[in-house]
Amino acid sequence: MHALFSKKMAYQKVNADQRAPGHSQYLDNDDLQATALDLEWDMEKELEEPGFDQFQLDSAENQNLENPETADLNLDSIQPATSPKGRFQRLQEESDYVTRYTRSAPKSNPCNFCRLLKILCTATVLFILGILIGYYAHKNCPSNATTSGTLDLHLYQEILKTIQAEDIKKSFRNLVQLYKSEDDTEISKKIKSHWTSLGLEDVQFVNYSVLLNLPGPSASSVSLSSSGQCFHPNGQPCSEEARKHSGQDLLYSYAAYSAKGTLEAELIDVSYGNADDLKRIQKMKNTTNKIALLKLGKLPLLYKLSLLEKAGFGGVLLYIDPCDLPKTANLSYDTFMVSLNPGGDPSTPGYPSVDGSFRQNRSNLTSLLVQPISASLVAKLISSPNSRTKNSICSPLELPNNDQRIVSMQIQTVTKFKTVTNVVGYLKGLTSPDRYIIVGSRHHTAYSYYGQEWASSTAIITAFIRALMLRVKRGWRPDRTIVFCSWGGTAFGNIGSYEWGEDFRKVLQRNVVAYISLHSPIRGNSSLYSVASPSLQQLVVEGPSFLSEALFLKRATKIEEMDPFFHLHETITKLSGEVILQIANEPVLPFNALDIAIEVQNSLKGDQPYTHQLLALASRLRESAELFQSDEMRPANDPKERIPIRVRMLNDILQDMEKSFLVEQVPPGFYRNILYHLDGKTSQFSILLEAWEHCKLLSSNETIQEALSEVLNSINSAQVYFKAGLDVFDSVLVGKN
């Protein structure tokens, strides 16, 4: 999960028999063999929030009253409202009850017996009829005694149960067949036509003319100067036969927006390329204009390349060490593509690529020659045996310190302006149509890498649209607008989504509530990984990996091999759909203010220098968040205390509360939201960790002081934001009084 989005609560883990708030029935699916959704709960018991069921409100119930088409919902468990004291009991407790309603006995009359008999018979019939009416009313009528969330839960289940693996499989196969046409325009048209036929509103193309960096006419190569041997990126010797056998795969093993040309220099093993690695190497060797042998992973690629560029390197051979992959994955001979584009059209940085925009000449985004290569080629370059596993222990690839290798690398690429197409469709909200939940997937773009993940992504989002629109046709709508997007140009640096975001920046900054990404939904069949910002942590688990920066041309395991019956696809669609429905339909947004404060405190734990002032400020932020949570969010989650104007004000605060942690300038490859961590192993603020690493290279604390200032200002801004929110609510109360 991604963007404006945790819920961690009391010191325990949730097991299979004790469902966490927000637990989904779809997590019980056997197809998620090793899925671990044990939510670590950190909130003190005295501040423990009510279960996520308390966020399920009565909007769907009200919609049923307005839309008789939805009356077929199962309402067996819903009971009519009852007062603590019945109507007759209250009358009897009134002081003048006896005097007001006691009458004198009637006088005797010969006709009284017949009259009494008729009355008795009538009363008996009415009594029996009343019992029958009461029984069926009790069985079928709604009840406020049951939480209104029950109806929402039933509604979600009714929508999601229509999602079927077979439908997803059929859609996937149709898309894969289209992909063979090598024409992304045809694919975009198919998606638009399909979404429109399902009933999605205002489905449209949004096109941008952007600068793409494409493979050259011939494949790149790497040569060993000592022997003169020439290799293709996959490790095969350079030959006409190898080029014909590999076809387009060799061309698409490249780094988009790399510098191009030829470089012959010493090969220096920099391992993962972090600050410690570079500091160690620079003590031993001159790195100017040398070629770095770099492993992918552990840190963002763009960040590591920026360090190598500053260290004076001229080229980079990039690879994935087999020891960093699962034992079942064998990618030794596989090549891959990476993009060095941080995002959007390189020719229009910071503004949209619309007609008339000024175009900058940026054919390459780094001075480095960068070439991805296979692990098998690395083994040949360093003269390492192909098998490095002994006693089930994998030995990482590394060039011995005393060995010297002179290599030559040649890179050919071309830059062209091409049209990238996004497909965007809307499901307008009923009560808050100006609040958007964006759901994004991607489709294949011509001239990009070979793969099937895009078809998996598109099939999943289409399956959810189908299920949703079946319910819409029966009269239901979500409270907020859901915007479905299929992005183009993703492989080159998320170009389609960036340009759309820049194009509609003002609208999105004001109206977007959350973004849910279905970018690469199926990557394996063992574990479930998802990522969310802290305020929505209650809905997911975390597990980012920078190995995903590599886009393999031919997946070792294809989609249908990983999920032959598409049960994983079905489960992921239902899990994602449940999250989308909760955010789009609950009157109070399921965002947790206190989790942000807890996340800030956790990010400052440990032996970190210069953080005393930050800890004090974080404590004040937590106090404000606790007060906001208890005084404003708790009452709003009680339907009896919910006032529409206050709910709207509350949602506006919840929607924007993480924006305090957005910073303008971050190291390459880092998140602008400083609450996001680079990986699941480190809990500290990433920009502080990077600043400390930077100090190791420059022996200066200027960078760390700047980073500390960024964090301090963000925490202070959030504390002021929550306090201002409380003041606004206080003013409303005073005005009413």
Side-chain angles (χ1 to χ4, degrees), residues 414-462:
V414 295
T415 52
K416 295 180 180 179
F417 281 96
K418 296 286 184 180
T419 297
V420 164
T421 300
N422 299 326
V423 184
V424 181
Y426 298 82
L427 172 57
K428 298 293 178 60
L430 184 64
T431 60
S432 300
D434 61 333
R435 292 295 179 258
Y436 305 149
I437 288 79
I438 302 177
V439 184
S441 66
R442 56 174 172 146
H443 57 261
H444 171 70
T445 300
Y447 316 107
S448 69
Y449 78 104
Y450 284 26
Q452 296 182 346
E453 287 182 354
W454 70 271
S456 174
S457 169
T458 304
I460 282 178
I461 195 172
T462 302

Side-chain angles (χ1 to χ4, degrees), residues 301-499:
L301 173 60
L302 296 184
Y303 174 65
K304 296 194 290 187
L305 292 180
S306 70
L307 295 182
L308 293 174
E309 199 168 13
K310 290 176 183 177
F313 281 90
V316 177
L317 295 178
L318 180 66
Y319 74 102
I320 295 178
D321 196 311
C323 295
D324 291 333
L325 294 168
K327 293 181 180 179
T328 55
N330 182 16
L331 302 177
S332 296
Y333 294 92
D334 283 20
T335 52
F336 57 93
M337 169 193 173
V338 296
S339 175
L340 310 186
N341 180 10
D345 178 9
S347 71
T348 58
Y351 53 95
S353 298
V354 296
D355 291 343
S357 294
F358 172 70
R359 304 286 178 159
Q360 299 184 24
N361 183 18
R362 303 178 75 203
S363 58
N364 57 281
L365 300 179
T366 176
S367 63
L368 296 169
L369 277 73
V370 182
Q371 176 60 52
I373 60 176
S374 67
S376 62
L377 176 53
V378 175
K380 292 176 181 179
L381 294 178
I382 66 176
S383 303
S384 173
N386 288 332
S387 177
R388 294 173 311 284
T389 302
K390 187 176 182 180
N391 298 327
S392 299
I393 299 176
C394 183
S395 300
L397 287 167
E398 57 183 11
L399 180 66
N401 288 330
N402 297 327
D403 288 9
Q404 187 180 57
R405 299 282 190 279
I406 305 297
V407 300
S408 175
M409 57 188 299
Q410 182 183 34
I411 294 178
Q412 299 184 54
T413 58
V414 295
T415 52
K416 295 180 180 179
F417 281 96
K418 296 286 184 180
T419 297
V420 164
T421 300
N422 299 326
V423 184
V424 181
Y426 298 82
L427 172 57
K428 298 293 178 60
L430 184 64
T431 60
S432 300
D434 61 333
R435 292 295 179 258
Y436 305 149
I437 288 79
I438 302 177
V439 184
S441 66
R442 56 174 172 146
H443 57 261
H444 171 70
T445 300
Y447 316 107
S448 69
Y449 78 104
Y450 284 26
Q452 296 182 346
E453 287 182 354
W454 70 271
S456 174
S457 169
T458 304
I460 282 178
I461 195 172
T462 302
F464 179 63
I465 292 172
R466 180 188 295 111
L468 206 57
M469 298 314 296
L470 286 174
R471 196 70 193 183
V472 170
K473 291 174 182 177
R474 295 166 60 186
W476 173 86
R477 278 184 180 272
D479 285 353
R480 303 175 185 90
T481 296
I482 306 178
V483 185
F484 294 96
C485 307
S486 182
W487 308 119
T490 302
F492 296 96
N494 300 317
I495 290 181
S497 56
Y498 260 75
E499 294 307 309

Side-chain angles (χ1 to χ4, degrees), residues 83 185 192 275 347 521 564 566 593 607-608 611 671 692 718:
S83 170
T185 303
K192 180 178 183 291
S347 71
F566 280 71
D607 186 18
Q608 302 183 51
T611 58
Y671 299 112
W692 290 322

Side-chain angles (χ1 to χ4, degrees), residues 1-5 513-516 531-537 658 676:
M1 299 279 298
H2 171 57
L4 308 176
F5 320 145
V513 173
Y515 178 82
I516 293 90
V531 183
S533 42
S535 57
L536 274 187
Q537 204 67 38
E658 280 194 24
Y676 290 4

